[in-house]
PDB file of all heavy atoms in Angstrom:
ATOM      1  N   ILE A   1       5.466 -17.251   3.034  1.00 87.00           N
ATOM      2  CA  ILE A   1       4.443 -16.747   2.136  1.00 87.00           C
ATOM      3  C   ILE A   1       5.028 -15.613   1.298  1.00 87.00           C
ATOM      4  O   ILE A   1       5.841 -14.826   1.776  1.00 87.00           O
ATOM      5  CB  ILE A   1       3.214 -16.265   2.951  1.00 87.00           C
ATOM      6  CG1 ILE A   1       1.995 -16.085   2.053  1.00 87.00           C
ATOM      7  CG2 ILE A   1       3.523 -15.015   3.756  1.00 87.00           C
ATOM      8  CD1 ILE A   1       0.699 -15.932   2.840  1.00 87.00           C
ATOM      9  N   ASN A   2       4.649 -15.567   0.024  1.00 91.00           N
ATOM     10  CA  ASN A   2       5.161 -14.512  -0.841  1.00 91.00           C
ATOM     11  C   ASN A   2       4.077 -13.491  -1.146  1.00 91.00           C
ATOM     12  O   ASN A   2       2.919 -13.629  -0.717  1.00 91.00           O
ATOM     13  CB  ASN A   2       5.746 -15.102  -2.130  1.00 91.00           C
ATOM     14  CG  ASN A   2       4.726 -15.902  -2.930  1.00 91.00           C
ATOM     15  OD1 ASN A   2       3.555 -15.527  -3.033  1.00 91.00           O
ATOM     16  ND2 ASN A   2       5.164 -16.998  -3.523  1.00 91.00           N
ATOM     17  N   THR A   3       4.431 -12.486  -1.902  1.00 93.00           N
ATOM     18  CA  THR A   3       3.501 -11.377  -2.155  1.00 93.00           C
ATOM     19  C   THR A   3       2.233 -11.843  -2.851  1.00 93.00           C
ATOM     20  O   THR A   3       1.124 -11.431  -2.478  1.00 93.00           O
ATOM     21  CB  THR A   3       4.202 -10.293  -2.998  1.00 93.00           C
ATOM     22  OG1 THR A   3       5.364  -9.838  -2.302  1.00 93.00           O
ATOM     23  CG2 THR A   3       3.271  -9.112  -3.235  1.00 93.00           C
ATOM     24  N   GLU A   4       2.368 -12.701  -3.849  1.00 95.00           N
ATOM     25  CA  GLU A   4       1.191 -13.151  -4.588  1.00 95.00           C
ATOM     26  C   GLU A   4       0.264 -13.979  -3.705  1.00 95.00           C
ATOM     27  O   GLU A   4      -0.964 -13.900  -3.817  1.00 95.00           O
ATOM     28  CB  GLU A   4       1.604 -13.956  -5.829  1.00 95.00           C
ATOM     29  CG  GLU A   4       2.215 -13.108  -6.929  1.00 95.00           C
ATOM     30  CD  GLU A   4       1.306 -11.949  -7.338  1.00 95.00           C
ATOM     31  OE1 GLU A   4       0.087 -12.171  -7.506  1.00 95.00           O
ATOM     32  OE2 GLU A   4       1.811 -10.819  -7.461  1.00 95.00           O
ATOM     33  N   GLU A   5       0.842 -14.763  -2.810  1.00 96.00           N
ATOM     34  CA  GLU A   5       0.010 -15.558  -1.899  1.00 96.00           C
ATOM     35  C   GLU A   5      -0.700 -14.670  -0.887  1.00 96.00           C
ATOM     36  O   GLU A   5      -1.862 -14.915  -0.540  1.00 96.00           O
ATOM     37  CB  GLU A   5       0.881 -16.607  -1.206  1.00 96.00           C
ATOM     38  CG  GLU A   5       1.330 -17.712  -2.142  1.00 96.00           C
ATOM     39  CD  GLU A   5       2.376 -18.620  -1.514  1.00 96.00           C
ATOM     40  OE1 GLU A   5       3.148 -18.141  -0.648  1.00 96.00           O
ATOM     41  OE2 GLU A   5       2.436 -19.798  -1.907  1.00 96.00           O
ATOM     42  N   VAL A   6      -0.003 -13.637  -0.393  1.00 96.00           N
ATOM     43  CA  VAL A   6      -0.669 -12.682   0.493  1.00 96.00           C
ATOM     44  C   VAL A   6      -1.807 -11.990  -0.244  1.00 96.00           C
ATOM     45  O   VAL A   6      -2.902 -11.790   0.303  1.00 96.00           O
ATOM     46  CB  VAL A   6       0.326 -11.649   1.052  1.00 96.00           C
ATOM     47  CG1 VAL A   6      -0.410 -10.544   1.813  1.00 96.00           C
ATOM     48  CG2 VAL A   6       1.334 -12.320   1.985  1.00 96.00           C
ATOM     49  N   LYS A   7      -1.577 -11.635  -1.495  1.00 97.00           N
ATOM     50  CA  LYS A   7      -2.624 -11.013  -2.309  1.00 97.00           C
ATOM     51  C   LYS A   7      -3.836 -11.934  -2.414  1.00 97.00           C
ATOM     52  O   LYS A   7      -4.981 -11.499  -2.227  1.00 97.00           O
ATOM     53  CB  LYS A   7      -2.069 -10.699  -3.699  1.00 97.00           C
ATOM     54  CG  LYS A   7      -3.068 -10.081  -4.672  1.00 97.00           C
ATOM     55  CD  LYS A   7      -3.432  -8.662  -4.276  1.00 97.00           C
ATOM     56  CE  LYS A   7      -4.238  -7.985  -5.371  1.00 97.00           C
ATOM     57  NZ  LYS A   7      -4.671  -6.618  -4.964  1.00 97.00           N
ATOM     58  N   GLN A   8      -3.605 -13.207  -2.706  1.00 98.00           N
ATOM     59  CA  GLN A   8      -4.710 -14.168  -2.783  1.00 98.00           C
ATOM     60  C   GLN A   8      -5.420 -14.286  -1.436  1.00 98.00           C
ATOM     61  O   GLN A   8      -6.660 -14.345  -1.382  1.00 98.00           O
ATOM     62  CB  GLN A   8      -4.184 -15.535  -3.199  1.00 98.00           C
ATOM     63  CG  GLN A   8      -3.693 -15.634  -4.621  1.00 98.00           C
ATOM     64  CD  GLN A   8      -3.210 -17.045  -4.944  1.00 98.00           C
ATOM     65  OE1 GLN A   8      -3.931 -18.020  -4.767  1.00 98.00           O
ATOM     66  NE2 GLN A   8      -1.965 -17.140  -5.389  1.00 98.00           N
ATOM     67  N   GLY A   9      -4.630 -14.332  -0.358  1.00 97.00           N
ATOM     68  CA  GLY A   9      -5.220 -14.443   0.974  1.00 97.00           C
ATOM     69  C   GLY A   9      -6.096 -13.254   1.306  1.00 97.00           C
ATOM     70  O   GLY A   9      -7.186 -13.407   1.870  1.00 97.00           O
ATOM     71  N   ILE A  10      -5.633 -12.054   0.967  1.00 98.00           N
ATOM     72  CA  ILE A  10      -6.412 -10.843   1.228  1.00 98.00           C
ATOM     73  C   ILE A  10      -7.711 -10.863   0.422  1.00 98.00           C
ATOM     74  O   ILE A  10      -8.791 -10.531   0.941  1.00 98.00           O
ATOM     75  CB  ILE A  10      -5.586  -9.587   0.906  1.00 98.00           C
ATOM     76  CG1 ILE A  10      -4.462  -9.426   1.938  1.00 98.00           C
ATOM     77  CG2 ILE A  10      -6.461  -8.333   0.892  1.00 98.00           C
ATOM     78  CD1 ILE A  10      -3.501  -8.294   1.653  1.00 98.00           C
ATOM     79  N   GLU A  11      -7.631 -11.276  -0.834  1.00 98.00           N
ATOM     80  CA  GLU A  11      -8.838 -11.329  -1.662  1.00 98.00           C
ATOM     81  C   GLU A  11      -9.833 -12.346  -1.124  1.00 98.00           C
ATOM     82  O   GLU A  11     -11.048 -12.084  -1.096  1.00 98.00           O
ATOM     83  CB  GLU A  11      -8.452 -11.651  -3.111  1.00 98.00           C
ATOM     84  CG  GLU A  11      -7.705 -10.508  -3.799  1.00 98.00           C
ATOM     85  CD  GLU A  11      -7.181 -10.878  -5.182  1.00 98.00           C
ATOM     86  OE1 GLU A  11      -7.199 -12.093  -5.517  1.00 98.00           O
ATOM     87  OE2 GLU A  11      -6.744  -9.969  -5.910  1.00 98.00           O
ATOM     88  N   LEU A  12      -9.345 -13.507  -0.694  1.00 98.00           N
ATOM     89  CA  LEU A  12     -10.232 -14.512  -0.104  1.00 98.00           C
ATOM     90  C   LEU A  12     -10.867 -14.001   1.185  1.00 98.00           C
ATOM     91  O   LEU A  12     -12.063 -14.201   1.429  1.00 98.00           O
ATOM     92  CB  LEU A  12      -9.445 -15.793   0.178  1.00 98.00           C
ATOM     93  CG  LEU A  12      -9.023 -16.626  -1.031  1.00 98.00           C
ATOM     94  CD1 LEU A  12      -8.034 -17.709  -0.605  1.00 98.00           C
ATOM     95  CD2 LEU A  12     -10.245 -17.263  -1.694  1.00 98.00           C
ATOM     96  N   ALA A  13     -10.058 -13.346   2.018  1.00 98.00           N
ATOM     97  CA  ALA A  13     -10.574 -12.819   3.282  1.00 98.00           C
ATOM     98  C   ALA A  13     -11.621 -11.743   3.032  1.00 98.00           C
ATOM     99  O   ALA A  13     -12.693 -11.745   3.659  1.00 98.00           O
ATOM    100  CB  ALA A  13      -9.420 -12.258   4.113  1.00 98.00           C
ATOM    101  N   HIS A  14     -11.350 -10.836   2.129  1.00 98.00           N
ATOM    102  CA  HIS A  14     -12.311  -9.772   1.835  1.00 98.00           C
ATOM    103  C   HIS A  14     -13.603 -10.335   1.259  1.00 98.00           C
ATOM    104  O   HIS A  14     -14.704  -9.850   1.576  1.00 98.00           O
ATOM    105  CB  HIS A  14     -11.687  -8.759   0.874  1.00 98.00           C
ATOM    106  CG  HIS A  14     -10.671  -7.876   1.521  1.00 98.00           C
ATOM    107  ND1 HIS A  14      -9.860  -7.004   0.825  1.00 98.00           N
ATOM    108  CD2 HIS A  14     -10.328  -7.720   2.834  1.00 98.00           C
ATOM    109  CE1 HIS A  14      -9.076  -6.353   1.662  1.00 98.00           C
ATOM    110  NE2 HIS A  14      -9.334  -6.766   2.882  1.00 98.00           N
ATOM    111  N   ALA A  15     -13.490 -11.365   0.434  1.00 98.00           N
ATOM    112  CA  ALA A  15     -14.692 -11.994  -0.122  1.00 98.00           C
ATOM    113  C   ALA A  15     -15.547 -12.633   0.970  1.00 98.00           C
ATOM    114  O   ALA A  15     -16.772 -12.733   0.846  1.00 98.00           O
ATOM    115  CB  ALA A  15     -14.299 -13.046  -1.160  1.00 98.00           C
ATOM    116  N   ALA A  16     -14.874 -13.057   2.064  1.00 98.00           N
ATOM    117  CA  ALA A  16     -15.592 -13.670   3.189  1.00 98.00           C
ATOM    118  C   ALA A  16     -15.977 -12.650   4.253  1.00 98.00           C
ATOM    119  O   ALA A  16     -16.479 -13.022   5.318  1.00 98.00           O
ATOM    120  CB  ALA A  16     -14.719 -14.758   3.814  1.00 98.00           C
ATOM    121  N   GLY A  17     -15.734 -11.371   3.988  1.00 98.00           N
ATOM    122  CA  GLY A  17     -16.074 -10.330   4.950  1.00 98.00           C
ATOM    123  C   GLY A  17     -15.091 -10.192   6.089  1.00 98.00           C
ATOM    124  O   GLY A  17     -15.422  -9.631   7.147  1.00 98.00           O
ATOM    125  N   LYS A  18     -13.867 -10.668   5.898  1.00 98.00           N
ATOM    126  CA  LYS A  18     -12.827 -10.585   6.928  1.00 98.00           C
ATOM    127  C   LYS A  18     -11.836  -9.478   6.584  1.00 98.00           C
ATOM    128  O   LYS A  18     -11.696  -9.081   5.430  1.00 98.00           O
ATOM    129  CB  LYS A  18     -12.072 -11.916   7.025  1.00 98.00           C
ATOM    130  CG  LYS A  18     -12.943 -13.155   6.987  1.00 98.00           C
ATOM    131  CD  LYS A  18     -13.802 -13.308   8.213  1.00 98.00           C
ATOM    132  CE  LYS A  18     -14.555 -14.634   8.176  1.00 98.00           C
ATOM    133  NZ  LYS A  18     -15.396 -14.825   9.375  1.00 98.00           N
ATOM    134  N   LYS A  19     -11.102  -9.020   7.595  1.00 98.00           N
ATOM    135  CA  LYS A  19     -10.066  -8.022   7.386  1.00 98.00           C
ATOM    136  C   LYS A  19      -8.682  -8.675   7.431  1.00 98.00           C
ATOM    137  O   LYS A  19      -8.509  -9.750   8.020  1.00 98.00           O
ATOM    138  CB  LYS A  19     -10.160  -6.929   8.459  1.00 98.00           C
ATOM    139  CG  LYS A  19     -11.422  -6.079   8.360  1.00 98.00           C
ATOM    140  CD  LYS A  19     -11.413  -4.973   9.403  1.00 98.00           C
ATOM    141  CE  LYS A  19     -12.645  -4.082   9.257  1.00 98.00           C
ATOM    142  NZ  LYS A  19     -12.634  -2.984  10.254  1.00 98.00           N
ATOM    143  N   VAL A  20      -7.720  -7.993   6.818  1.00 98.00           N
ATOM    144  CA  VAL A  20      -6.342  -8.477   6.839  1.00 98.00           C
ATOM    145  C   VAL A  20      -5.418  -7.313   7.195  1.00 98.00           C
ATOM    146  O   VAL A  20      -5.496  -6.238   6.590  1.00 98.00           O
ATOM    147  CB  VAL A  20      -5.914  -9.068   5.479  1.00 98.00           C
ATOM    148  CG1 VAL A  20      -4.450  -9.500   5.528  1.00 98.00           C
ATOM    149  CG2 VAL A  20      -6.803 -10.258   5.112  1.00 98.00           C
ATOM    150  N   TYR A  21      -4.555  -7.539   8.180  1.00 98.00           N
ATOM    151  CA  TYR A  21      -3.583  -6.544   8.613  1.00 98.00           C
ATOM    152  C   TYR A  21      -2.193  -7.023   8.216  1.00 98.00           C
ATOM    153  O   TYR A  21      -1.837  -8.192   8.441  1.00 98.00           O
ATOM    154  CB  TYR A  21      -3.655  -6.334  10.123  1.00 98.00           C
ATOM    155  CG  TYR A  21      -5.054  -6.102  10.626  1.00 98.00           C
ATOM    156  CD1 TYR A  21      -5.528  -6.735  11.778  1.00 98.00           C
ATOM    157  CD2 TYR A  21      -5.943  -5.264   9.940  1.00 98.00           C
ATOM    158  CE1 TYR A  21      -6.810  -6.527  12.243  1.00 98.00           C
ATOM    159  CE2 TYR A  21      -7.232  -5.053  10.393  1.00 98.00           C
ATOM    160  CZ  TYR A  21      -7.672  -5.693  11.540  1.00 98.00           C
ATOM    161  OH  TYR A  21      -8.955  -5.495  11.979  1.00 98.00           O
ATOM    162  N   LEU A  22      -1.413  -6.139   7.640  1.00 96.00           N
ATOM    163  CA  LEU A  22      -0.077  -6.485   7.164  1.00 96.00           C
ATOM    164  C   LEU A  22       0.968  -6.028   8.171  1.00 96.00           C
ATOM    165  O   LEU A  22       1.046  -4.846   8.516  1.00 96.00           O
ATOM    166  CB  LEU A  22       0.178  -5.827   5.810  1.00 96.00           C
ATOM    167  CG  LEU A  22       1.425  -6.292   5.049  1.00 96.00           C
ATOM    168  CD1 LEU A  22       1.308  -7.768   4.680  1.00 96.00           C
ATOM    169  CD2 LEU A  22       1.617  -5.445   3.802  1.00 96.00           C
ATOM    170  N   ALA A  23       1.741  -6.985   8.671  1.00 93.00           N
ATOM    171  CA  ALA A  23       2.791  -6.659   9.642  1.00 93.00           C
ATOM    172  C   ALA A  23       3.939  -5.938   8.954  1.00 93.00           C
ATOM    173  O   ALA A  23       4.520  -6.434   7.988  1.00 93.00           O
ATOM    174  CB  ALA A  23       3.293  -7.933  10.308  1.00 93.00           C
ATOM    175  N   PHE A  24       4.236  -4.766   9.461  1.00 91.00           N
ATOM    176  CA  PHE A  24       5.320  -3.917   8.944  1.00 91.00           C
ATOM    177  C   PHE A  24       6.105  -3.423  10.148  1.00 91.00           C
ATOM    178  O   PHE A  24       6.431  -2.260  10.274  1.00 91.00           O
ATOM    179  CB  PHE A  24       4.706  -2.761   8.154  1.00 91.00           C
ATOM    180  CG  PHE A  24       5.666  -1.930   7.368  1.00 91.00           C
ATOM    181  CD1 PHE A  24       6.896  -2.421   6.953  1.00 91.00           C
ATOM    182  CD2 PHE A  24       5.340  -0.627   7.025  1.00 91.00           C
ATOM    183  CE1 PHE A  24       7.776  -1.652   6.229  1.00 91.00           C
ATOM    184  CE2 PHE A  24       6.204   0.165   6.299  1.00 91.00           C
ATOM    185  CZ  PHE A  24       7.436  -0.350   5.901  1.00 91.00           C
ATOM    186  N   ASN A  25       6.373  -4.377  11.081  1.00 87.00           N
ATOM    187  CA  ASN A  25       6.854  -4.004  12.410  1.00 87.00           C
ATOM    188  C   ASN A  25       8.348  -4.198  12.628  1.00 87.00           C
ATOM    189  O   ASN A  25       8.808  -4.419  13.737  1.00 87.00           O
ATOM    190  CB  ASN A  25       6.070  -4.749  13.490  1.00 87.00           C
ATOM    191  CG  ASN A  25       6.156  -6.265  13.341  1.00 87.00           C
ATOM    192  OD1 ASN A  25       6.591  -6.777  12.319  1.00 87.00           O
ATOM    193  ND2 ASN A  25       5.723  -6.980  14.363  1.00 87.00           N
ATOM    194  N   LEU A  26       9.114  -4.096  11.541  1.00 85.00           N
ATOM    195  CA  LEU A  26      10.562  -4.091  11.707  1.00 85.00           C
ATOM    196  C   LEU A  26      11.021  -2.758  12.312  1.00 85.00           C
ATOM    197  O   LEU A  26      10.325  -1.749  12.218  1.00 85.00           O
ATOM    198  CB  LEU A  26      11.259  -4.297  10.370  1.00 85.00           C
ATOM    199  CG  LEU A  26      11.385  -3.110   9.403  1.00 85.00           C
ATOM    200  CD1 LEU A  26      12.362  -3.435   8.305  1.00 85.00           C
ATOM    201  CD2 LEU A  26      10.050  -2.674   8.853  1.00 85.00           C
ATOM    202  N   PHE A  27      12.201  -2.787  12.945  1.00 87.00           N
ATOM    203  CA  PHE A  27      12.849  -1.547  13.375  1.00 87.00           C
ATOM    204  C   PHE A  27      13.875  -1.204  12.296  1.00 87.00           C
ATOM    205  O   PHE A  27      14.892  -1.883  12.145  1.00 87.00           O
ATOM    206  CB  PHE A  27      13.505  -1.725  14.746  1.00 87.00           C
ATOM    207  CG  PHE A  27      12.501  -1.812  15.850  1.00 87.00           C
ATOM    208  CD1 PHE A  27      12.019  -3.041  16.266  1.00 87.00           C
ATOM    209  CD2 PHE A  27      12.008  -0.671  16.458  1.00 87.00           C
ATOM    210  CE1 PHE A  27      11.079  -3.132  17.280  1.00 87.00           C
ATOM    211  CE2 PHE A  27      11.063  -0.752  17.471  1.00 87.00           C
ATOM    212  CZ  PHE A  27      10.593  -1.988  17.874  1.00 87.00           C
ATOM    213  N   ALA A  28      13.601  -0.161  11.529  1.00 89.00           N
ATOM    214  CA  ALA A  28      14.363   0.118  10.315  1.00 89.00           C
ATOM    215  C   ALA A  28      15.622   0.926  10.591  1.00 89.00           C
ATOM    216  O   ALA A  28      15.611   1.861  11.395  1.00 89.00           O
ATOM    217  CB  ALA A  28      13.475   0.861   9.320  1.00 89.00           C
ATOM    218  N   HIS A  29      16.691   0.564   9.892  1.00 91.00           N
ATOM    219  CA  HIS A  29      17.920   1.361   9.868  1.00 91.00           C
ATOM    220  C   HIS A  29      17.820   2.356   8.709  1.00 91.00           C
ATOM    221  O   HIS A  29      17.014   2.189   7.785  1.00 91.00           O
ATOM    222  CB  HIS A  29      19.135   0.451   9.682  1.00 91.00           C
ATOM    223  CG  HIS A  29      19.378  -0.463  10.837  1.00 91.00           C
ATOM    224  ND1 HIS A  29      20.410  -0.280  11.735  1.00 91.00           N
ATOM    225  CD2 HIS A  29      18.722  -1.570  11.270  1.00 91.00           C
ATOM    226  CE1 HIS A  29      20.386  -1.225  12.652  1.00 91.00           C
ATOM    227  NE2 HIS A  29      19.366  -2.033  12.387  1.00 91.00           N
ATOM    228  N   ASP A  30      18.645   3.370   8.742  1.00 94.00           N
ATOM    229  CA  ASP A  30      18.585   4.404   7.708  1.00 94.00           C
ATOM    230  C   ASP A  30      18.713   3.830   6.300  1.00 94.00           C
ATOM    231  O   ASP A  30      17.992   4.243   5.380  1.00 94.00           O
ATOM    232  CB  ASP A  30      19.682   5.451   7.935  1.00 94.00           C
ATOM    233  CG  ASP A  30      19.281   6.498   8.960  1.00 94.00           C
ATOM    234  OD1 ASP A  30      18.077   6.805   9.055  1.00 94.00           O
ATOM    235  OD2 ASP A  30      20.170   7.009   9.665  1.00 94.00           O
ATOM    236  N   HIS A  31      19.620   2.879   6.129  1.00 92.00           N
ATOM    237  CA  HIS A  31      19.843   2.350   4.782  1.00 92.00           C
ATOM    238  C   HIS A  31      18.621   1.621   4.229  1.00 92.00           C
ATOM    239  O   HIS A  31      18.487   1.451   3.019  1.00 92.00           O
ATOM    240  CB  HIS A  31      21.072   1.433   4.762  1.00 92.00           C
ATOM    241  CG  HIS A  31      20.903   0.157   5.543  1.00 92.00           C
ATOM    242  ND1 HIS A  31      20.310  -0.966   5.024  1.00 92.00           N
ATOM    243  CD2 HIS A  31      21.260  -0.148   6.820  1.00 92.00           C
ATOM    244  CE1 HIS A  31      20.307  -1.930   5.936  1.00 92.00           C
ATOM    245  NE2 HIS A  31      20.873  -1.456   7.037  1.00 92.00           N
ATOM    246  N   GLU A  32      17.726   1.196   5.121  1.00 90.00           N
ATOM    247  CA  GLU A  32      16.549   0.452   4.658  1.00 90.00           C
ATOM    248  C   GLU A  32      15.473   1.368   4.072  1.00 90.00           C
ATOM    249  O   GLU A  32      14.585   0.892   3.347  1.00 90.00           O
ATOM    250  CB  GLU A  32      15.984  -0.389   5.807  1.00 90.00           C
ATOM    251  CG  GLU A  32      16.923  -1.527   6.170  1.00 90.00           C
ATOM    252  CD  GLU A  32      16.472  -2.303   7.390  1.00 90.00           C
ATOM    253  OE1 GLU A  32      16.351  -1.697   8.479  1.00 90.00           O
ATOM    254  OE2 GLU A  32      16.234  -3.516   7.258  1.00 90.00           O
ATOM    255  N   TYR A  33      15.541   2.632   4.383  1.00 93.00           N
ATOM    256  CA  TYR A  33      14.552   3.554   3.815  1.00 93.00           C
ATOM    257  C   TYR A  33      14.738   3.721   2.306  1.00 93.00           C
ATOM    258  O   TYR A  33      13.834   4.173   1.614  1.00 93.00           O
ATOM    259  CB  TYR A  33      14.608   4.907   4.527  1.00 93.00           C
ATOM    260  CG  TYR A  33      13.910   4.889   5.864  1.00 93.00           C
ATOM    261  CD1 TYR A  33      14.576   4.457   7.014  1.00 93.00           C
ATOM    262  CD2 TYR A  33      12.577   5.276   5.985  1.00 93.00           C
ATOM    263  CE1 TYR A  33      13.943   4.425   8.245  1.00 93.00           C
ATOM    264  CE2 TYR A  33      11.937   5.254   7.217  1.00 93.00           C
ATOM    265  CZ  TYR A  33      12.624   4.821   8.340  1.00 93.00           C
ATOM    266  OH  TYR A  33      11.980   4.779   9.557  1.00 93.00           O
ATOM    267  N   VAL A  34      15.890   3.317   1.801  1.00 92.00           N
ATOM    268  CA  VAL A  34      16.120   3.357   0.353  1.00 92.00           C
ATOM    269  C   VAL A  34      15.125   2.438  -0.365  1.00 92.00           C
ATOM    270  O   VAL A  34      14.736   2.693  -1.507  1.00 92.00           O
ATOM    271  CB  VAL A  34      17.572   2.934   0.032  1.00 92.00           C
ATOM    272  CG1 VAL A  34      17.792   2.854  -1.477  1.00 92.00           C
ATOM    273  CG2 VAL A  34      18.561   3.903   0.671  1.00 92.00           C
ATOM    274  N   ASN A  35      14.708   1.368   0.328  1.00 90.00           N
ATOM    275  CA  ASN A  35      13.792   0.391  -0.284  1.00 90.00           C
ATOM    276  C   ASN A  35      12.323   0.779  -0.149  1.00 90.00           C
ATOM    277  O   ASN A  35      11.455   0.059  -0.633  1.00 90.00           O
ATOM    278  CB  ASN A  35      14.000  -0.982   0.358  1.00 90.00           C
ATOM    279  CG  ASN A  35      15.388  -1.527   0.139  1.00 90.00           C
ATOM    280  OD1 ASN A  35      15.949  -1.378  -0.946  1.00 90.00           O
ATOM    281  ND2 ASN A  35      15.957  -2.164   1.154  1.00 90.00           N
ATOM    282  N   MET A  36      12.028   1.895   0.497  1.00 93.00           N
ATOM    283  CA  MET A  36      10.640   2.238   0.769  1.00 93.00           C
ATOM    284  C   MET A  36       9.775   2.459  -0.476  1.00 93.00           C
ATOM    285  O   MET A  36       8.587   2.143  -0.451  1.00 93.00           O
ATOM    286  CB  MET A  36      10.579   3.456   1.692  1.00 93.00           C
ATOM    287  CG  MET A  36      10.999   3.153   3.115  1.00 93.00           C
ATOM    288  SD  MET A  36      10.067   1.783   3.846  1.00 93.00           S
ATOM    289  CE  MET A  36      10.838   1.682   5.451  1.00 93.00           C
ATOM    290  N   PRO A  37      10.303   2.972  -1.580  1.00 92.00           N
ATOM    291  CA  PRO A  37       9.446   3.068  -2.774  1.00 92.00           C
ATOM    292  C   PRO A  37       8.905   1.699  -3.213  1.00 92.00           C
ATOM    293  O   PRO A  37       7.733   1.582  -3.602  1.00 92.00           O
ATOM    294  CB  PRO A  37      10.383   3.677  -3.817  1.00 92.00           C
ATOM    295  CG  PRO A  37      11.338   4.499  -3.023  1.00 92.00           C
ATOM    296  CD  PRO A  37      11.589   3.686  -1.786  1.00 92.00           C
ATOM    297  N   ARG A  38       9.756   0.666  -3.131  1.00 92.00           N
ATOM    298  CA  ARG A  38       9.289  -0.684  -3.468  1.00 92.00           C
ATOM    299  C   ARG A  38       8.258  -1.170  -2.455  1.00 92.00           C
ATOM    300  O   ARG A  38       7.248  -1.785  -2.820  1.00 92.00           O
ATOM    301  CB  ARG A  38      10.479  -1.643  -3.497  1.00 92.00           C
ATOM    302  CG  ARG A  38      10.098  -3.094  -3.790  1.00 92.00           C
ATOM    303  CD  ARG A  38      11.308  -3.999  -3.687  1.00 92.00           C
ATOM    304  NE  ARG A  38      11.934  -3.955  -2.381  1.00 92.00           N
ATOM    305  CZ  ARG A  38      11.497  -4.662  -1.325  1.00 92.00           C
ATOM    306  NH1 ARG A  38      10.421  -5.427  -1.433  1.00 92.00           N
ATOM    307  NH2 ARG A  38      12.106  -4.571  -0.169  1.00 92.00           N
ATOM    308  N   VAL A  39       8.496  -0.891  -1.172  1.00 92.00           N
ATOM    309  CA  VAL A  39       7.536  -1.260  -0.130  1.00 92.00           C
ATOM    310  C   VAL A  39       6.192  -0.578  -0.381  1.00 92.00           C
ATOM    311  O   VAL A  39       5.134  -1.186  -0.257  1.00 92.00           O
ATOM    312  CB  VAL A  39       8.086  -0.876   1.262  1.00 92.00           C
ATOM    313  CG1 VAL A  39       7.013  -1.034   2.328  1.00 92.00           C
ATOM    314  CG2 VAL A  39       9.306  -1.731   1.611  1.00 92.00           C
ATOM    315  N   SER A  40       6.245   0.682  -0.763  1.00 95.00           N
ATOM    316  CA  SER A  40       5.022   1.436  -1.021  1.00 95.00           C
ATOM    317  C   SER A  40       4.226   0.817  -2.165  1.00 95.00           C
ATOM    318  O   SER A  40       2.994   0.706  -2.103  1.00 95.00           O
ATOM    319  CB  SER A  40       5.374   2.893  -1.345  1.00 95.00           C
ATOM    320  OG  SER A  40       4.231   3.698  -1.339  1.00 95.00           O
ATOM    321  N   GLU A  41       4.928   0.383  -3.205  1.00 95.00           N
ATOM    322  CA  GLU A  41       4.261  -0.281  -4.324  1.00 95.00           C
ATOM    323  C   GLU A  41       3.578  -1.565  -3.868  1.00 95.00           C
ATOM    324  O   GLU A  41       2.453  -1.874  -4.290  1.00 95.00           O
ATOM    325  CB  GLU A  41       5.275  -0.601  -5.425  1.00 95.00           C
ATOM    326  CG  GLU A  41       5.819   0.619  -6.153  1.00 95.00           C
ATOM    327  CD  GLU A  41       6.887   0.247  -7.160  1.00 95.00           C
ATOM    328  OE1 GLU A  41       7.165  -0.964  -7.308  1.00 95.00           O
ATOM    329  OE2 GLU A  41       7.457   1.162  -7.793  1.00 95.00           O
ATOM    330  N   THR A  42       4.249  -2.303  -3.003  1.00 94.00           N
ATOM    331  CA  THR A  42       3.678  -3.548  -2.483  1.00 94.00           C
ATOM    332  C   THR A  42       2.421  -3.279  -1.666  1.00 94.00           C
ATOM    333  O   THR A  42       1.415  -3.985  -1.793  1.00 94.00           O
ATOM    334  CB  THR A  42       4.717  -4.297  -1.624  1.00 94.00           C
ATOM    335  OG1 THR A  42       5.879  -4.562  -2.407  1.00 94.00           O
ATOM    336  CG2 THR A  42       4.150  -5.613  -1.114  1.00 94.00           C
ATOM    337  N   ILE A  43       2.471  -2.271  -0.820  1.00 95.00           N
ATOM    338  CA  ILE A  43       1.297  -1.912  -0.021  1.00 95.00           C
ATOM    339  C   ILE A  43       0.125  -1.530  -0.920  1.00 95.00           C
ATOM    340  O   ILE A  43      -1.009  -1.974  -0.715  1.00 95.00           O
ATOM    341  CB  ILE A  43       1.642  -0.763   0.950  1.00 95.00           C
ATOM    342  CG1 ILE A  43       2.636  -1.248   2.013  1.00 95.00           C
ATOM    343  CG2 ILE A  43       0.382  -0.212   1.618  1.00 95.00           C
ATOM    344  CD1 ILE A  43       3.204  -0.142   2.874  1.00 95.00           C
ATOM    345  N   ASN A  44       0.388  -0.732  -1.926  1.00 96.00           N
ATOM    346  CA  ASN A  44      -0.678  -0.331  -2.856  1.00 96.00           C
ATOM    347  C   ASN A  44      -1.241  -1.526  -3.609  1.00 96.00           C
ATOM    348  O   ASN A  44      -2.431  -1.592  -3.915  1.00 96.00           O
ATOM    349  CB  ASN A  44      -0.146   0.707  -3.852  1.00 96.00           C
ATOM    350  CG  ASN A  44       0.075   2.061  -3.212  1.00 96.00           C
ATOM    351  OD1 ASN A  44      -0.590   2.422  -2.244  1.00 96.00           O
ATOM    352  ND2 ASN A  44       1.031   2.820  -3.740  1.00 96.00           N
TER     353      ASN A  44
END
């Protein structure tokens, strides 16, 4: 599933009165925190 499909899924779920939780359960290495601004944009 890609970002746009997750977006559609969340909108459909919210329209039906359901909640959606986004898994962000990786164990991050230091170098991966460089990508966090992009991750933050995706979450927003």
